[in-house]
Every structure is written in C-alpha cells, then in structure tokens.
Amino acid sequence: MPADHAERYLRLAESLVLTIIMTGEVLVTKAGVTLRKLNPRDFFGEMALFDGGMRSATVTAVDTVGLLRLSRDAVLQIMEEQPAIAIAICQTLSRRLRDLLGERS
C-alpha cells in the first residue's frame, strides 16, 4: 500500500483491530513527538484492542507498507490457541511502557 494511502488508513483504523506490519516502516507519534519507529513484524493497536479505548498515538507510514489487520475476536482466538502470543504481546506492552517512563523521568 503506498505511503499516502497507508497514512489515511492508519489515521482511520478502528479501535478493535490489531495491525501487524508486514513490509515497510511506520512512525508512532504523540503530540508531534516521535515515540518509536516500527518495522516488519512489529504491531500496533494492542492497547485500544484490549480496552476498547481511543488510540493513544498516531501511526504514519514512512514508505510503502504492507499491513495485516486482525479483529479483536481473531486476536483473542489466536491467543487462546497459542498462549505464547499473549505473553509476547504483554512483553511488548511492558517494554513500550518502560521506554516511555524512562524517557520522561
């Protein structure tokens, strides 16, 4: 998907979708500050997926990206069948939180 189309998608993505980056790179920003760059095999949308809240950051394609979208139901089913995936998502959430807290302390 071209970067301009991906940027529109990333802005409009529903809350109950986990998005996995298959190809390309995206930037995660909040209030104009870049928090991180995500690459293939990284994912975003997990917080809103789990708590049903609003997206907490903006994701913008750096270049052409390929994305895999998984609904909340699909993610929960996969986690039930493969508990290691749930653990990996929790580890990623913890690492991202630690990174954010470290940057602000």
Side-chain angles (χ1 to χ4, degrees):
M1 159 180 325
D4 61 334
H5 291 97
E7 184 173 346
R8 280 192 295 266
Y9 160 76
L10 298 174
R11 277 195 219 138
L12 299 172
E14 312 90 58
S15 294
L16 299 180
V17 173
L18 177 74
T19 303
I20 302 171
I21 301 163
M22 304 304 289
T23 59
E25 299 175 332
V26 301
L27 292 178
V28 180
T29 61
K30 183 160 182 116
V33 175
T34 299
L35 303 176
R36 70 185 51 85
K37 179 168 63 169
L38 299 178
N39 301 298
R41 301 183 68 190
D42 287 330
F43 56 86
F44 59 91
E46 70 284 350
M47 286 174 45
L49 179 93
F50 291 131
D51 70 10
M54 298 286 292
R55 296 261 183 213
S56 62
T58 300
V59 177
T60 306
V62 173
D63 52 15
T64 301
V65 295
L67 305 171
L68 173 64
R69 297 173 49 203
L70 296 172
S71 70
R72 183 176 195 275
D73 290 340
V75 171
L76 294 177
Q77 181 176 348
I78 291 166
M79 289 170 56
E80 189 174 312
E81 294 170 2
Q82 297 290 325
I85 291 174
I87 293 168
I89 290 173
C90 289
Q91 289 171 328
T92 298
L93 278 166
S94 295
R95 185 176 61 252
R96 289 178 181 174
L97 180 59
R98 285 183 190 275
D99 289 348
L100 285 173
L101 292 173
E103 291 174 10
R104 299 193 193 315
S105 51

XYZ file of all heavy atoms in Angstrom:
808
model
N 0.853 -1.165 0.000
C 0.000 0.000 0.000
C 0.901 1.232 0.000
O 1.810 1.331 0.806
C -0.878 -0.103 1.258
C -1.499 1.122 1.763
S -2.532 0.952 3.265
C -3.311 -0.620 3.141
N 0.696 2.187 -0.921
C 1.524 3.395 -0.970
C 1.425 4.176 0.338
O 0.411 4.138 1.031
C 0.924 4.195 -2.127
C 0.164 3.203 -2.939
C -0.293 2.141 -1.980
N 2.483 4.917 0.658
C 2.559 5.627 1.933
C 1.375 6.564 2.151
O 0.839 6.638 3.253
C 3.874 6.398 2.035
N 0.935 7.283 1.108
C -0.165 8.220 1.320
C -1.471 7.490 1.639
O -2.235 7.915 2.489
C -0.343 9.174 0.134
C -0.666 8.462 -1.168
O -0.301 7.280 -1.319
O -1.288 9.099 -2.033
N -1.720 6.357 0.990
C -2.911 5.570 1.299
C -2.794 4.949 2.690
O -3.762 4.897 3.443
C -3.129 4.465 0.263
C -3.525 4.993 -1.073
N -2.623 5.192 -2.074
C -4.725 5.389 -1.554
C -3.246 5.672 -3.131
N -4.527 5.814 -2.840
N -1.601 4.459 3.016
C -1.387 3.841 4.326
C -1.588 4.866 5.426
O -2.174 4.570 6.463
C 0.009 3.233 4.406
N -1.133 6.103 5.198
C -1.295 7.134 6.221
C -2.775 7.380 6.496
O -3.191 7.489 7.639
C -0.622 8.426 5.774
C -0.663 9.504 6.826
C 0.146 10.726 6.444
O 0.939 10.655 5.496
O -0.040 11.743 7.114
N -3.584 7.439 5.444
C -5.019 7.616 5.634
C -5.605 6.436 6.397
O -6.408 6.598 7.300
C -5.726 7.796 4.290
C -5.603 9.201 3.751
C -6.543 9.404 2.598
N -6.192 8.560 1.476
C -5.425 8.941 0.462
N -4.947 10.150 0.419
N -5.148 8.108 -0.511
N -5.192 5.218 6.023
C -5.690 4.034 6.725
C -5.296 4.086 8.204
O -6.096 3.832 9.086
C -5.144 2.747 6.101
C -5.236 1.586 7.060
C -6.458 0.964 7.307
C -4.131 1.161 7.772
C -6.558 -0.056 8.223
C -4.228 0.141 8.691
C -5.439 -0.465 8.909
O -5.535 -1.469 9.830
N -4.041 4.410 8.456
C -3.549 4.398 9.825
C -4.283 5.422 10.681
O -4.501 5.202 11.854
C -2.042 4.669 9.837
C -1.209 3.619 9.101
C 0.250 4.056 9.042
C -1.334 2.258 9.724
N -4.685 6.540 10.096
C -5.433 7.541 10.842
C -6.847 7.080 11.145
O -7.424 7.440 12.150
C -5.502 8.846 10.039
C -4.282 9.692 10.202
C -4.567 11.083 9.700
N -3.377 11.540 9.009
C -3.368 12.194 7.878
N -4.483 12.501 7.271
N -2.245 12.559 7.331
N -7.411 6.293 10.235
C -8.815 5.922 10.358
C -9.047 4.531 10.937
O -10.176 4.121 11.104
C -9.480 5.996 8.969
C -9.461 7.372 8.318
C -9.972 7.278 6.886
C -10.277 8.359 9.110
N -7.969 3.806 11.227
C -8.108 2.417 11.674
C -9.006 2.323 12.910
O -8.946 3.152 13.805
C -6.736 1.829 11.996
N -9.842 1.317 12.909
C -10.759 1.121 14.023
C -10.002 0.744 15.288
O -8.905 0.240 15.232
C -11.759 -0.002 13.710
C -12.423 0.050 12.381
C -11.657 -0.698 11.310
O -11.410 -1.892 11.449
O -11.298 -0.039 10.337
N -10.639 0.969 16.419
C -10.015 0.662 17.706
C -9.862 -0.833 17.930
O -8.949 -1.256 18.601
C -10.840 1.256 18.844
O -10.819 2.650 18.794
N -10.784 -1.622 17.409
C -10.764 -3.045 17.725
C -10.034 -3.871 16.683
O -10.473 -4.951 16.302
C -12.195 -3.543 17.927
C -12.942 -2.853 19.071
C -14.345 -3.390 19.199
C -12.185 -3.005 20.385
N -8.895 -3.358 16.232
C -8.083 -4.047 15.239
C -6.624 -3.973 15.668
O -6.132 -2.909 16.030
C -8.242 -3.395 13.840
C -7.281 -4.006 12.839
C -9.665 -3.528 13.349
N -5.948 -5.119 15.650
C -4.504 -5.174 15.851
C -3.892 -5.170 14.457
O -4.308 -5.948 13.596
C -4.103 -6.443 16.596
C -2.598 -6.633 16.807
C -2.103 -5.678 17.888
C -2.297 -8.061 17.195
N -2.927 -4.296 14.223
C -2.306 -4.194 12.914
C -0.859 -4.641 13.015
O -0.098 -4.135 13.847
C -2.379 -2.752 12.380
O -3.751 -2.343 12.337
C -1.794 -2.656 10.988
N -0.478 -5.590 12.170
C 0.888 -6.106 12.104
C 1.519 -5.568 10.832
O 0.922 -5.642 9.752
C 0.905 -7.642 12.112
C 0.209 -8.162 13.369
C 2.343 -8.164 12.011
C -0.022 -9.662 13.374
N 2.724 -5.046 10.951
C 3.438 -4.520 9.792
C 4.130 -5.690 9.095
O 4.946 -6.388 9.697
C 4.465 -3.458 10.218
C 3.748 -2.332 10.941
C 5.247 -2.941 9.008
C 4.651 -1.446 11.745
N 3.773 -5.898 7.844
C 4.365 -6.978 7.062
C 5.587 -6.481 6.280
O 6.590 -7.172 6.189
C 3.328 -7.568 6.106
C 2.062 -8.061 6.806
S 2.374 -9.274 8.106
C 2.856 -10.668 7.124
N 5.462 -5.281 5.706
C 6.574 -4.664 4.979
C 6.544 -3.165 5.226
O 5.485 -2.591 5.492
C 6.470 -4.910 3.451
O 5.234 -4.370 2.974
C 6.542 -6.393 3.123
N 7.700 -2.536 5.153
C 7.792 -1.093 5.317
C 7.986 -0.685 6.770
O 8.221 -1.521 7.642
N 7.917 0.624 6.995
C 8.126 1.187 8.322
C 7.061 2.231 8.607
O 6.571 2.895 7.704
C 9.492 1.878 8.403
C 10.661 0.968 8.159
C 11.979 1.740 8.133
O 11.980 2.941 7.782
O 12.999 1.134 8.468
N 6.744 2.386 9.894
C 5.826 3.435 10.328
C 6.443 4.151 11.523
O 7.279 3.591 12.234
C 4.429 2.877 10.701
C 3.781 2.168 9.530
C 4.492 1.965 11.908
N 6.024 5.396 11.711
C 6.423 6.159 12.887
C 5.230 6.282 13.818
O 4.109 6.524 13.378
C 6.883 7.564 12.498
C 8.176 7.665 11.712
C 8.458 9.131 11.380
C 9.339 7.060 12.481
N 5.496 6.125 15.104
C 4.474 6.306 16.131
C 4.769 7.641 16.803
O 5.880 7.850 17.313
C 4.512 5.167 17.170
C 3.447 5.377 18.232
C 4.350 3.812 16.485
N 3.783 8.539 16.783
C 3.968 9.862 17.363
C 2.822 10.199 18.306
O 1.733 9.644 18.195
C 4.050 10.952 16.273
O 2.834 10.957 15.529
C 5.226 10.717 15.337
N 3.108 11.126 19.213
C 2.073 11.659 20.099
C 2.389 13.130 20.305
O 3.509 13.471 20.683
C 2.045 10.915 21.428
C 0.933 11.418 22.328
C 0.588 10.402 23.383
C -0.556 10.919 24.220
N -1.732 10.127 24.099
N 1.424 13.965 20.023
C 1.582 15.416 20.156
C 2.818 15.901 19.396
O 3.568 16.745 19.874
C 1.657 15.808 21.629
N 3.053 15.317 18.219
C 4.160 15.736 17.375
C 5.521 15.184 17.758
O 6.514 15.469 17.104
N 5.592 14.398 18.813
C 6.856 13.809 19.266
C 6.915 12.362 18.802
O 5.989 11.586 19.046
C 6.974 13.874 20.811
C 8.229 13.165 21.292
C 6.939 15.312 21.287
N 8.011 11.999 18.132
C 8.180 10.620 17.686
C 8.531 9.740 18.876
O 9.511 9.995 19.580
C 9.278 10.515 16.610
O 8.884 11.310 15.486
C 9.487 9.072 16.165
N 7.711 8.716 19.094
C 7.939 7.784 20.193
C 8.808 6.613 19.771
O 9.645 6.148 20.524
C 6.604 7.265 20.728
C 5.616 8.326 21.212
C 4.298 7.682 21.623
C 6.221 9.125 22.354
N 8.562 6.128 18.551
C 9.350 4.995 18.055
C 9.070 4.780 16.580
O 8.088 5.282 16.041
C 9.058 3.721 18.838
C 7.678 3.116 18.610
C 7.370 1.925 19.490
N 7.611 2.161 20.885
C 6.744 2.724 21.723
N 5.577 3.116 21.290
N 7.035 2.897 22.987
N 9.931 3.991 15.958
C 9.724 3.534 14.588
C 9.426 2.050 14.660
O 10.077 1.310 15.409
C 10.970 3.789 13.734
C 10.811 3.316 12.306
C 11.913 3.819 11.382
C 13.256 3.312 11.794
N 14.277 3.573 10.772
N 8.415 1.608 13.930
C 8.057 0.191 13.897
C 8.385 -0.372 12.522
O 8.197 0.298 11.499
C 6.572 0.010 14.199
C 6.093 0.505 15.564
C 4.583 0.307 15.701
C 6.821 -0.204 16.690
N 8.863 -1.596 12.505
C 9.319 -2.273 11.299
C 8.514 -3.551 11.084
O 7.671 -3.906 11.906
C 10.810 -2.616 11.461
C 11.641 -1.377 11.696
O 11.700 -0.504 10.845
N 12.265 -1.278 12.857
N 8.816 -4.266 9.992
C 8.115 -5.533 9.766
C 8.170 -6.440 11.001
O 9.188 -6.514 11.682
C 8.861 -6.145 8.579
C 9.325 -4.935 7.818
C 9.718 -3.939 8.890
N 7.035 -7.077 11.266
C 6.786 -7.968 12.391
C 6.425 -7.235 13.669
O 6.029 -7.858 14.642
C 7.954 -8.933 12.629
C 8.233 -9.804 11.414
C 9.313 -10.790 11.640
N 8.855 -11.793 12.604
C 9.626 -12.688 13.168
N 10.890 -12.738 12.866
N 9.141 -13.569 14.019
N 6.559 -5.894 13.686
C 6.071 -5.115 14.818
C 4.559 -4.943 14.651
O 4.022 -5.168 13.563
C 6.732 -3.734 14.871
C 8.187 -3.787 15.314
O 8.543 -4.693 16.087
O 8.959 -2.918 14.872
N 3.900 -4.515 15.694
C 2.448 -4.345 15.637
C 2.053 -3.113 16.425
O 2.810 -2.582 17.233
C 1.730 -5.581 16.181
C 2.132 -5.954 17.579
C 1.506 -5.379 18.670
C 3.149 -6.880 17.801
C 1.865 -5.716 19.966
C 3.521 -7.227 19.090
C 2.879 -6.639 20.171
N 0.832 -2.659 16.169
C 0.277 -1.545 16.925
C -1.232 -1.730 17.029
O -1.826 -2.538 16.328
C 0.637 -0.186 16.300
C 0.171 -0.010 14.881
C -1.069 0.550 14.607
C 0.973 -0.386 13.812
C -1.505 0.723 13.299
C 0.546 -0.213 12.506
C -0.692 0.341 12.253
N -1.825 -0.982 17.950
C -3.267 -1.064 18.160
C -3.664 -1.981 19.294
O -4.846 -2.141 19.585
N -2.679 -2.552 19.976
C -2.989 -3.540 21.015
C -3.681 -2.923 22.224
O -4.559 -3.544 22.812
C -1.721 -4.306 21.434
C -0.692 -3.524 22.210
C 0.139 -2.566 21.385
O 0.081 -2.600 20.143
O 0.866 -1.774 22.003
N -3.323 -1.697 22.595
C -3.956 -1.091 23.768
C -5.445 -0.865 23.523
O -6.286 -1.278 24.331
C -3.261 0.229 24.133
C -1.905 0.019 24.773
S -0.971 1.540 25.072
C -2.171 2.632 25.755
N -5.763 -0.221 22.420
C -7.170 0.035 22.099
C -7.919 -1.273 21.868
O -9.094 -1.395 22.213
C -7.269 0.934 20.867
N -7.228 -2.267 21.316
C -7.854 -3.568 21.078
C -8.315 -4.190 22.389
O -9.417 -4.716 22.489
C -6.865 -4.498 20.376
C -7.394 -5.893 20.086
C -7.983 -5.938 18.688
C -6.296 -6.915 20.237
N -7.482 -4.106 23.421
C -7.805 -4.749 24.685
C -8.775 -3.955 25.538
O -9.642 -4.535 26.190
C -6.540 -5.047 25.493
C -5.684 -6.118 24.877
C -4.335 -5.928 24.708
C -6.240 -7.310 24.454
C -3.546 -6.913 24.138
C -5.463 -8.304 23.878
C -4.109 -8.097 23.717
N -8.634 -2.636 25.562
C -9.502 -1.877 26.467
C -10.647 -1.148 25.766
O -11.489 -0.549 26.421
C -8.685 -0.910 27.335
C -8.094 0.263 26.580
O -8.429 0.488 25.403
O -7.286 0.987 27.199
N -10.692 -1.208 24.438
C -11.777 -0.588 23.694
C -11.713 0.927 23.662
O -12.622 1.580 23.173
N -10.623 1.494 24.179
C -10.474 2.945 24.219
C -9.995 3.517 22.897
O -9.804 2.799 21.908
N -9.805 4.805 22.908
C -9.311 5.514 21.731
C -7.839 5.170 21.514
O -7.141 4.794 22.461
C -9.442 7.028 21.938
C -10.864 7.503 22.121
S -11.782 7.479 20.584
C -10.948 8.750 19.688
N -7.394 5.344 20.291
C -5.969 5.175 20.006
C -5.187 6.187 20.841
O -5.628 7.312 21.030
C -5.693 5.430 18.528
C -6.365 4.419 17.629
C -5.384 3.385 17.225
N -6.004 2.450 16.289
C -5.670 1.188 16.252
N -4.777 0.722 17.075
N -6.222 0.380 15.395
N -4.041 5.774 21.351
C -3.257 6.641 22.227
C -2.153 7.379 21.493
O -1.503 8.240 22.064
C -2.654 5.821 23.379
O -1.785 4.840 22.861
N -1.924 7.042 20.223
C -0.857 7.673 19.448
C -1.259 7.663 17.977
O -2.230 7.013 17.585
C 0.460 6.933 19.658
N -0.490 8.373 17.187
C -0.706 8.427 15.746
C 0.364 7.588 15.066
O 1.536 7.657 15.436
C -0.610 9.889 15.247
O -1.618 10.643 15.911
C -0.811 9.980 13.747
N -0.031 6.808 14.087
C 0.904 5.980 13.321
C 0.880 6.470 11.881
O -0.182 6.587 11.281
C 0.507 4.488 13.403
C 1.437 3.642 12.548
C 0.521 4.011 14.842
N 2.079 6.773 11.349
C 2.203 7.303 9.996
C 3.199 6.462 9.212
O 4.296 6.179 9.710
C 2.700 8.765 10.033
O 1.834 9.521 10.873
C 2.713 9.369 8.650
N 2.835 6.073 8.010
C 3.732 5.291 7.155
C 4.921 6.142 6.733
O 4.759 7.299 6.342
C 2.982 4.796 5.930
N 6.117 5.565 6.809
C 7.332 6.226 6.352
C 7.474 6.033 4.848
O 7.911 6.921 4.128
C 8.575 5.662 7.086
C 9.862 6.203 6.512
C 8.473 5.941 8.581
N 7.118 4.843 4.398
C 7.212 4.487 2.986
C 6.046 3.556 2.673
O 5.097 3.480 3.446
C 8.571 3.833 2.690
C 8.890 2.674 3.630
O 7.968 2.171 4.319
O 10.046 2.255 3.690
N 6.123 2.854 1.591
C 5.073 1.893 1.254
C 5.056 0.786 2.302
O 6.107 0.246 2.656
C 5.319 1.303 -0.145
O 5.328 2.377 -1.080
C 4.236 0.316 -0.522
N 3.873 0.477 2.808
C 3.754 -0.551 3.843
C 2.735 -1.607 3.438
O 1.791 -1.328 2.706
C 3.352 0.044 5.212
C 4.429 0.954 5.759
C 2.031 0.771 5.147
N 2.969 -2.810 3.926
C 2.000 -3.891 3.828
C 1.538 -4.191 5.237
O 2.352 -4.346 6.144
N 0.234 -4.226 5.442
C -0.327 -4.375 6.779
C -1.267 -5.566 6.850
O -1.996 -5.835 5.901
C -1.096 -3.110 7.162
C -0.327 -1.795 7.088
C -1.272 -0.616 7.276
C 0.788 -1.767 8.105
N -1.247 -6.246 7.977
C -2.186 -7.324 8.265
C -3.047 -6.859 9.428
O -2.531 -6.510 10.493
C -1.444 -8.603 8.640
C -2.302 -9.772 9.118
C -3.233 -10.244 7.999
C -1.420 -10.906 9.611
N -4.362 -6.820 9.219
C -5.298 -6.385 10.256
C -5.982 -7.599 10.852
O -6.486 -8.451 10.131
C -6.335 -5.449 9.648
C -5.760 -4.185 9.096
C -6.788 -3.363 8.352
N -7.991 -3.216 9.157
C -9.189 -2.958 8.666
N -9.365 -2.812 7.378
N -10.229 -2.833 9.447
N -6.009 -7.654 12.171
C -6.684 -8.745 12.877
C -7.739 -8.159 13.801
O -7.438 -7.285 14.621
C -5.686 -9.564 13.700
C -4.604 -10.310 12.914
C -3.583 -10.910 13.865
C -5.231 -11.380 12.052
N -8.954 -8.645 13.694
C -10.029 -8.185 14.563
C -9.768 -8.628 15.999
O -8.984 -9.547 16.257
C -11.369 -8.752 14.094
O -11.409 -10.154 14.343
N -10.465 -8.004 16.921
C -10.339 -8.361 18.328
C -10.683 -9.840 18.531
O -9.972 -10.560 19.231
C -11.267 -7.483 19.171
C -11.153 -7.745 20.659
C -12.034 -6.764 21.449
N -11.671 -6.757 22.840
C -12.136 -7.616 23.736
N -12.965 -8.567 23.374
N -11.760 -7.532 25.000
N -11.749 -10.291 17.907
C -12.140 -11.702 18.045
C -11.047 -12.634 17.533
O -10.758 -13.654 18.156
C -13.449 -11.974 17.310
C -14.648 -11.327 17.995
O -14.555 -11.008 19.202
O -15.678 -11.152 17.329
N -10.439 -12.284 16.403
C -9.376 -13.126 15.847
C -8.169 -13.162 16.776
O -7.586 -14.227 17.015
C -8.970 -12.620 14.463
N -7.802 -12.006 17.327
C -6.652 -11.950 18.235
C -6.925 -12.783 19.489
O -6.071 -13.555 19.922
C -6.307 -10.491 18.612
C -5.264 -10.441 19.719
C -5.830 -9.729 17.384
N -8.102 -12.643 20.058
C -8.427 -13.412 21.258
C -8.424 -14.913 20.984
O -7.952 -15.707 21.810
C -9.774 -12.965 21.830
C -9.812 -11.534 22.380
C -11.206 -11.180 22.862
C -8.779 -11.335 23.479
N -8.920 -15.314 19.822
C -8.909 -16.731 19.466
C -7.475 -17.229 19.292
O -7.118 -18.305 19.783
C -9.701 -16.967 18.185
C -9.745 -18.426 17.787
C -10.605 -18.670 16.561
O -11.348 -17.803 16.117
N -10.499 -19.857 16.013
N -6.644 -16.451 18.615
C -5.242 -16.835 18.417
C -4.532 -16.943 19.767
O -3.765 -17.883 20.007
C -4.530 -15.821 17.492
C -5.073 -15.945 16.070
C -3.019 -16.018 17.520
C -4.690 -14.793 15.154
N -4.805 -15.986 20.667
C -4.164 -16.013 21.980
C -4.605 -17.232 22.787
O -3.811 -17.807 23.535
C -4.467 -14.714 22.726
C -3.742 -13.515 22.144
S -4.270 -11.917 22.795
C -4.035 -12.095 24.526
N -5.852 -17.620 22.634
C -6.355 -18.803 23.330
C -5.678 -20.065 22.803
O -5.304 -20.957 23.563
C -7.869 -18.898 23.142
C -8.518 -19.962 23.986
C -10.033 -19.915 23.877
O -10.603 -18.815 24.004
O -10.624 -20.990 23.663
N -5.479 -20.116 21.489
C -4.866 -21.295 20.871
C -3.354 -21.319 21.036
O -2.750 -22.390 21.087
C -5.218 -21.331 19.379
C -6.700 -21.547 19.123
C -7.099 -21.356 17.669
O -6.218 -21.095 16.820
O -8.307 -21.456 17.379
N -2.751 -20.124 21.103
C -1.292 -20.004 21.202
C -0.955 -19.029 22.335
O -0.680 -17.854 22.092
C -0.710 -19.480 19.879
C -0.923 -20.381 18.692
C -0.089 -21.639 18.792
O 1.037 -21.619 19.299
N -0.634 -22.745 18.326
N -0.961 -19.483 23.580
C -0.715 -18.586 24.720
C 0.615 -17.827 24.632
O 0.726 -16.738 25.187
C -0.728 -19.523 25.929
C -1.536 -20.702 25.486
C -1.275 -20.846 24.012
N 1.578 -18.357 23.931
C 2.868 -17.659 23.791
C 2.686 -16.310 23.111
O 3.438 -15.361 23.374
C 3.856 -18.524 23.019
N 1.684 -16.193 22.249
C 1.420 -14.920 21.584
C 0.926 -13.900 22.594
O 1.326 -12.733 22.569
C 0.433 -15.116 20.414
C 1.131 -15.916 19.314
C -0.092 -13.783 19.897
C 0.251 -16.317 18.162
N 0.072 -14.311 23.515
C -0.401 -13.406 24.570
C 0.772 -12.924 25.417
O 0.860 -11.734 25.758
C -1.437 -14.109 25.440
N 1.673 -13.823 25.736
C 2.852 -13.461 26.526
C 3.712 -12.470 25.745
O 4.171 -11.464 26.306
C 3.657 -14.718 26.917
C 2.841 -15.566 27.898
C 5.015 -14.337 27.502
C 3.392 -16.955 28.132
N 3.911 -12.705 24.462
C 4.717 -11.792 23.637
C 4.089 -10.404 23.563
O 4.796 -9.391 23.631
C 4.898 -12.371 22.234
N 2.775 -10.333 23.443
C 2.100 -9.030 23.402
C 2.279 -8.322 24.746
O 2.574 -7.121 24.786
C 0.615 -9.186 23.036
C 0.479 -9.616 21.568
C -0.145 -7.881 23.274
C -0.930 -9.973 21.132
N 2.132 -9.043 25.850
C 2.333 -8.449 27.172
C 3.770 -7.956 27.344
O 4.003 -6.875 27.906
C 1.995 -9.450 28.273
S 0.232 -9.779 28.414
N 4.735 -8.722 26.870
C 6.133 -8.304 26.960
C 6.373 -7.025 26.158
O 7.070 -6.115 26.616
C 7.056 -9.415 26.457
C 7.127 -10.591 27.402
C 7.870 -11.781 26.809
O 7.847 -12.021 25.601
N 8.525 -12.533 27.679
N 5.762 -6.948 24.982
C 5.909 -5.747 24.165
C 5.270 -4.548 24.847
O 5.853 -3.463 24.889
C 5.291 -5.967 22.768
O 5.994 -7.034 22.122
C 5.378 -4.714 21.910
N 4.071 -4.727 25.393
C 3.411 -3.643 26.132
C 4.279 -3.165 27.298
O 4.445 -1.950 27.507
C 2.056 -4.102 26.656
C 0.892 -4.058 25.687
C -0.287 -4.843 26.238
C 0.498 -2.634 25.399
N 4.839 -4.080 28.050
C 5.687 -3.728 29.192
C 6.929 -2.980 28.737
O 7.314 -1.970 29.338
C 6.101 -4.980 29.967
O 4.979 -5.583 30.543
N 7.560 -3.453 27.676
C 8.762 -2.800 27.161
C 8.451 -1.382 26.687
O 9.184 -0.434 26.982
C 9.381 -3.633 26.028
C 10.704 -3.088 25.526
C 11.359 -3.975 24.470
N 10.518 -4.123 23.294
C 9.860 -5.238 22.948
N 9.948 -6.311 23.701
N 9.129 -5.280 21.855
N 7.332 -1.220 25.983
C 6.958 0.114 25.497
C 6.662 1.057 26.659
O 7.041 2.228 26.635
C 5.754 0.018 24.561
C 6.119 -0.618 23.235
C 4.910 -0.758 22.341
N 5.282 -1.403 21.084
C 4.410 -1.764 20.155
N 3.116 -1.537 20.327
N 4.827 -2.332 19.044
N 5.991 0.558 27.684
C 5.703 1.381 28.855
C 6.999 1.786 29.556
O 7.177 2.953 29.923
C 4.781 0.639 29.823
C 4.394 1.389 31.086
C 3.692 2.697 30.745
C 3.502 0.512 31.952
N 7.908 0.848 29.741
C 9.194 1.160 30.370
C 9.958 2.202 29.550
O 10.552 3.124 30.107
C 10.042 -0.088 30.534
C 9.594 -0.989 31.631
C 10.551 -2.179 31.780
N 10.032 -3.166 32.669
C 10.174 -3.136 33.987
N 10.806 -2.133 34.543
N 9.679 -4.094 34.743
N 9.943 2.055 28.229
C 10.617 3.031 27.359
C 10.040 4.424 27.555
O 10.766 5.400 27.678
C 10.497 2.632 25.880
C 11.333 1.421 25.522
O 12.195 1.000 26.322
O 11.104 0.869 24.415
N 8.708 4.513 27.588
C 8.056 5.808 27.764
C 8.367 6.404 29.137
O 8.654 7.602 29.256
C 6.547 5.688 27.586
C 6.065 5.538 26.161
C 4.566 5.265 26.130
C 6.385 6.777 25.337
N 8.309 5.598 30.170
C 8.596 6.095 31.508
C 10.056 6.529 31.635
O 10.352 7.535 32.283
C 8.258 5.041 32.557
C 6.770 4.721 32.719
C 6.578 3.546 33.653
C 6.003 5.942 33.183
N 10.936 5.782 30.995
C 12.361 6.133 31.034
C 12.647 7.443 30.336
O 13.480 8.233 30.773
N 11.922 7.708 29.252
C 12.131 8.947 28.510
C 11.635 10.156 29.295
O 12.097 11.258 29.116
C 11.375 8.904 27.173
C 11.957 7.912 26.197
C 11.106 7.773 24.951
O 10.175 8.579 24.769
O 11.380 6.878 24.167
N 10.675 9.942 30.174
C 10.069 11.064 30.875
C 10.621 11.257 32.284
O 10.266 12.193 32.972
C 8.558 10.859 30.957
C 7.940 10.794 29.577
C 6.461 10.896 29.641
N 5.692 10.573 28.482
C 5.902 10.944 27.232
N 6.927 11.641 26.922
N 5.080 10.591 26.271
N 11.475 10.362 32.757
C 11.964 10.515 34.142
C 13.334 11.165 34.184
O 13.916 11.536 33.249
C 12.013 9.172 34.851
O 12.687 8.205 34.098
